[in-house]
């Protein structure tokens, strides 16, 4: 056990007290407590500081990690728990039906909303929760054995829970006024996205909740908007070439030369 | 940190001990988050250890190391509070030499410099909760450490906080906001029999009586009083 300094403690306590912080706020905090050393110009110091913190957090199965809000590309930092045990079940203030409702919303957003990653408030309030609860013995008559807190979860309780989930940043309003995943969901649910076969972005390999998809029929490639912009920062066009998109991306330098010759107009990647 | 000799005497390996310490630390952190900072009873922590281990000295050793690690890793002090008992249940005999271990509870308190804490750590979205706690505890303190429920709400009404208001724009349900202070052990709520039947009384509990809070409270109250006196002299 290597004691951390008050600077490390400030970073950790700020994240635990205030919740996930945007990159701008976290960098500003780091700059303030390190006597003016901005992470943008002191990347090694910043990385070493986070590594030192994570070396101590590993003992508790915690991680200080960064992730991207897929709706606007903002990077956030937060402390996440890596294992599910009896202690971590205490970490939620939500009741069983509320957690079932959240799970239903999560599935609606990542599966039914396609690559848009959002649903309307009306759709959210009509999400069913009785199909989210699994009765252990799996007998045929399980529906009638569901607790009344699940079967009698009122519309008004759903509205209240939805408000709380948004306030606590598990969900969030998108710029179009629909409901999408909040930053806490992006931070905490990486392994859930993988285990539930959510298609990944071809560039960053993170779950493509809000992503652009290939317009070619039958092609399931999806890429985050910010990954697209990073991959092709100079151009407004993405060339169309007669190779699978995956191969195109791995041949990035060849692609850059081809695009200069071909000069296509569309932003959406299309495979032939 | 426990030495290998101590562990050998208790007949537990370092790995097993480390696992228990991590479980206690995780419990303290998650429980604090779940119950908004209400004290955690020592018996809850000892149960984590005693459910699988019978060594008598082990709980104290593990809880102490968990406290040391919380301080080293997070800068949190696992402050021990002795549970305040209601006046009506306190015996007239002097307290025994050995305080009851089961009456102990713990709260996680930041060890950061107060200026650093308020500037960088404090969640300003929750400032209204701290403000309300400060006002209520100050009222009870100025009333001599004990006040009837009726008198407390009469004072709070002067601040625009009605007992029956369930939709206050800042606090939401005012009664629940007060009840949270009881759960967080800032206040003790007691039913006492009087000439006109039963009534409820609020007393300061162990968290408000803890030196770290009570000394600052007295300082803030005296600042308010000085400010009032100063303004009165101007009239």
């Amino acid at each position: 056990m290597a004691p951390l300094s008050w600077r490390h403690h400030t970073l950790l306590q700020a994240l635990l007290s205030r919740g996930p912080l945007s990159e701008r706020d976290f960098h500003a905090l780091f700059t303030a407590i390190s006597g003016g050393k901005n992470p943008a110009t002191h990347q090694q110091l910043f990385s070493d500081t986070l590594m030192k913190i994570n070396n101590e957090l590993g003992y508790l199965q915690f991680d200080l990690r960064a992730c991207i809000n897929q709706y606007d590309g903002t990077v956030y930092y937060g402390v996440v728990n890596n294992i599910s045990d009896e202690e971590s079940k205490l970490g939620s203030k939500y009741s069983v039906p509320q957690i079932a409702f959240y799970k239903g919303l999560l599935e609606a957003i990542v599966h039914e909303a396609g690559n848009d990653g959002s649903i309307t408030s009306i759709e959210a309030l009509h999400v069913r929760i009785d199909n989210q609860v699994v009765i252990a013995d799996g007998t045929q008559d399980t529906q009638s054995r569901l607790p009344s807190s699940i079967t009698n979860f009122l519309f008004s309780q759903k509205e209240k829970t939805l408000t709380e989930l948004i306030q606590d940043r598990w969900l969030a309003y998108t710029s179009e006024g629909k409901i999408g995943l909040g930053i806490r969901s992006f931070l905490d649910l990486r392994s859930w996205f993988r285990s539930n076969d959510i298609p990944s972005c071809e560039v960053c390999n993170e779950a493509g909740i809000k992503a652009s998809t290939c317009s070619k029929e039958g092609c399931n490639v999806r890429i985050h908007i910010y990954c697209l912009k990073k991959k092709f920062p100079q151009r407004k066009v993405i060339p169309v070439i007669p190779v699978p998109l995956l191969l195109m991306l791995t041949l990035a330098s060849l692609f850059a030369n081809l695009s200069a010759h071909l000069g296509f107009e569309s932003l959406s990647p299309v495979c032939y | 940190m426990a030495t290998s000799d101590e562990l050998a005497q208790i007949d537990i390996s370092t790995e097993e001990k480390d696992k228990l310490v991590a479980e206690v630390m995780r419990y303290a952190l998650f429980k604090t988050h779940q119950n908004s900072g209400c004290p955690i009873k020592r018996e809850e922590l000892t149960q984590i250890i005693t459910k699988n281990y019978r060594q008598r000295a082990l709980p104290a050793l593990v809880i102490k190391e968990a406290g040391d690690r919380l301080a080293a890793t997070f800068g949190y002090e696992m402050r021990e509070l002795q549970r305040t008992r209601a006046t009506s249940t306190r015996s007239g005999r002097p307290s025994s030499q050995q305080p009851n271990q089961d009456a102990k509870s713990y709260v996680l308190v930041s060890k950061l410099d107060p200026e650093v804490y308020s500037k960088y750590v404090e969640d300003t979205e929750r400032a209204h909760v701290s403000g309300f706690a400060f006002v209520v505890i100050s009222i009870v303190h100025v009333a001599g450490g004990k006040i009837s429920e009726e008198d407390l709400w009469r004072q709070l009404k002067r601040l625009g906080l009605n007992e029956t208001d369930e939709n206050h724009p800042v606090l939401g349900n005012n009664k629940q906001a007060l009840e949270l202070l009881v759960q967080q052990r800032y206040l003790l709520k007691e039913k006492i029999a009087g000439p006109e039947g039963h009534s409820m009384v609020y007393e300061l509990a162990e968290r408000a009586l803890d030196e770290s809070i009570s000394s600052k409270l007295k300082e803030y109250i005296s600042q308010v009083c000085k400010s009032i006196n100063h303004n009165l002299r101007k009239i």
Side-chain angles (χ1 to χ4, degrees):
Chain A
M1 170 178 75
L4 300 176
S5 74
W6 70 269
R7 292 181 175 82
H8 301 103
H9 295 159
T10 306
L11 291 174
L12 270 174
Q13 289 191 27
L15 288 173
L16 293 177
S17 168
R18 293 159 61 185
L21 294 175
S22 68
E23 184 174 54
R24 191 189 68 164
D25 290 342
F26 194 62
H27 282 191
L29 173 60
F30 183 87
T31 306
I33 61 167
S34 64
K37 296 186 177 111
N38 193 313
T41 50
H42 293 80
Q43 284 173 8
Q44 193 58 49
L45 175 66
F46 184 66
S47 300
D48 289 348
T49 302
L50 297 196
M51 196 182 321
K52 193 165 180 187
I53 290 174
N54 274 324
N55 284 343
E56 297 306 310
L57 291 182
Y59 174 72
L60 296 170
Q61 308 294 328
F62 288 161
D63 246 340
L64 196 174
R65 70 164 76 128
C67 79
I68 297 183
N69 179 340
Q70 294 192 14
Y71 301 96
D72 62 11
T74 311
V75 175
Y76 281 81
Y77 289 85
V79 176
V80 297
N81 169 45
N82 289 328
I83 56 163
S84 173
D85 58 6
E86 289 305 310
E87 284 77 41
S88 63
K89 285 174 191 166
L90 298 168
S92 173
K93 297 180 198 179
Y94 294 100
S95 63
V96 168
Q98 286 180 315
I99 293 173
F101 182 47
Y102 168 68
K103 192 158 172 286
L105 290 165
L106 189 62
E107 288 184 357
I109 288 168
V110 303
H111 289 304
E112 294 158 45
N115 61 308
D116 183 40
S118 60
I119 55 176
T120 63
S121 305
I122 302 291
E123 285 168 336
L125 291 169
H126 283 92
V127 159
R128 288 176 57 196
I129 65 169
D130 50 351
N131 54 356
Q132 296 299 328
V133 179
V134 177
I135 304 293
D137 64 8
T139 55
Q140 274 196 340
D141 197 23
T142 52
Q143 286 301 307
S144 63
R145 294 177 53 228
L146 286 171
S148 58
S149 59
I150 298 286
T151 53
N152 296 342
F153 199 58
L154 301 172
F155 202 78
S156 59
Q157 288 172 298
K158 281 187 179 177
E159 279 185 308
K160 189 165 172 286
T161 303
L162 197 56
T163 305
E164 285 176 22
L165 287 167
I166 291 171
Q167 260 172 7
D168 290 344
R169 301 159 84 187
W170 289 103
L171 299 175
Y173 284 116
T174 65
S175 53
E176 295 92 31
K178 291 164 84 175
I179 293 172
L181 297 188
I183 192 60
R184 284 190 191 270
S185 297
F186 285 122
L187 269 169
D188 273 67
L189 297 178
R190 280 170 94 198
S191 53
W192 187 88
F193 295 143
R194 287 193 208 287
S195 62
N196 281 270
D197 299 322
I198 309 299
S200 302
C201 168
E202 290 297 332
V203 175
C204 68
N205 209 31
E206 294 292 333
I209 310 293
K210 164 85 174 155
S212 287
T213 49
C214 178
S215 55
K216 183 186 175 187
E217 196 175 323
C219 181
N220 293 322
V221 163
R222 49 172 80 178
I223 304 180
H224 298 122
I225 304 289
Y226 45 85
C227 289
L228 265 177
K229 286 178 184 169
K230 261 194 207 156
K231 203 68 190 168
F232 314 109
Q234 302 296 330
R235 313 191 62 84
K236 292 181 188 174
V237 301
I238 297 212
V240 176
I241 53 173
V243 293
L245 180 62
L246 184 57
L247 180 58
M248 177 179 79
L249 292 169
T250 57
L251 297 171
S253 57
L254 171 62
F255 171 82
N257 288 327
L258 280 171
S259 68
H261 289 296
L262 296 173
F264 287 92
E265 302 292 329
S266 168
L267 187 57
S268 299
V270 176
C271 297
Y272 285 109
Chain B
M1 185 118 50
T3 63
S4 47
D5 284 342
E6 283 172 318
L7 295 179
Q9 279 180 7
I10 301 175
D11 189 27
I12 185 171
S13 67
T14 308
E15 290 73 26
E16 286 171 293
K17 182 268 298 177
D18 282 348
K19 188 165 174 295
L20 286 172
V21 170
E23 281 178 36
V24 168
M25 289 172 74
R26 283 170 61 85
Y27 185 95
L29 289 164
F30 282 120
K31 197 79 199 276
T32 297
H33 171 74
Q34 184 202 48
N35 64 16
S36 307
C38 295
I40 301 166
K41 291 180 194 163
R42 186 184 169 90
E43 62 193 270
E44 293 175 48
L45 300 181
T46 55
Q47 268 172 24
I48 295 170
I49 301 145
T50 57
K51 72 180 176 200
N52 290 321
Y53 296 88
R54 294 278 174 263
Q55 295 89 325
R56 286 190 68 183
L58 190 56
L61 189 144
V62 168
I63 289 172
K64 171 150 187 335
E65 187 166 329
D68 292 342
R69 279 189 175 259
L70 280 166
T73 304
F74 294 92
Y76 287 138
E77 179 191 344
M78 201 161 84
R79 176 150 317 151
E80 190 178 278
L81 303 171
Q82 192 69 30
R83 197 171 177 88
T84 312
R85 288 164 62 196
T87 317
S88 57
T89 59
R90 283 177 215 154
S91 85
R93 287 170 295 169
S95 55
S96 61
Q97 292 292 329
Q98 294 285 339
N100 183 1
Q101 291 282 63
D102 290 340
K104 285 186 187 175
S105 57
Y106 298 95
V107 287
L108 296 186
V109 177
S110 172
K111 292 174 69 176
L112 290 174
D113 178 84
E115 209 175 302
V116 169
Y117 185 89
S118 69
K119 207 169 173 183
Y120 302 121
V121 174
E122 189 168 16
D123 182 8
T124 51
E125 303 279 312
R126 314 248 336 127
H128 59 286
V129 177
S130 306
F132 177 72
F134 167 71
V135 163
V136 170
I137 296 168
S138 301
I139 291 172
V140 180
H141 178 83
V142 167
K146 205 174 190 174
I147 191 170
S148 70
E149 186 177 34
E150 194 185 335
D151 284 343
L152 177 59
W153 281 112
R154 187 177 303 125
Q155 297 300 324
L156 291 175
K157 197 171 177 181
R158 300 169 75 182
L159 296 168
L161 299 173
N162 292 310
E163 184 179 359
T164 52
D165 192 351
E166 293 180 10
N167 293 299
H168 188 269
V170 176
L171 295 176
N173 186 314
N174 287 344
K175 258 190 141 159
Q176 279 181 12
L178 183 63
E179 186 55 32
L180 182 61
L181 297 183
V182 175
Q183 289 166 11
Q184 289 174 330
R185 301 299 294 180
Y186 285 111
L187 298 177
L188 191 60
K189 190 176 178 181
E190 197 186 353
K191 190 190 260 188
I192 57 166
E196 291 167 15
H198 288 100
S199 62
M200 302 304 290
V201 162
Y202 288 95
E203 246 185 279
L204 294 179
E206 62 267 25
R207 198 121 172 238
L209 294 170
D210 187 69
E211 181 56 30
S212 62
I213 299 224
S214 65
S215 57
K216 281 187 211 152
L217 194 73
K218 287 171 193 166
E219 188 191 317
Y220 294 143
I221 293 173
S222 73
Q223 278 178 19
V224 170
C225 290
K226 276 182 197 160
S227 167
I228 291 170
N229 285 338
H230 177 74
N231 288 331
L232 283 174
R233 277 192 220 113
K234 283 186 187 173
I235 297 171

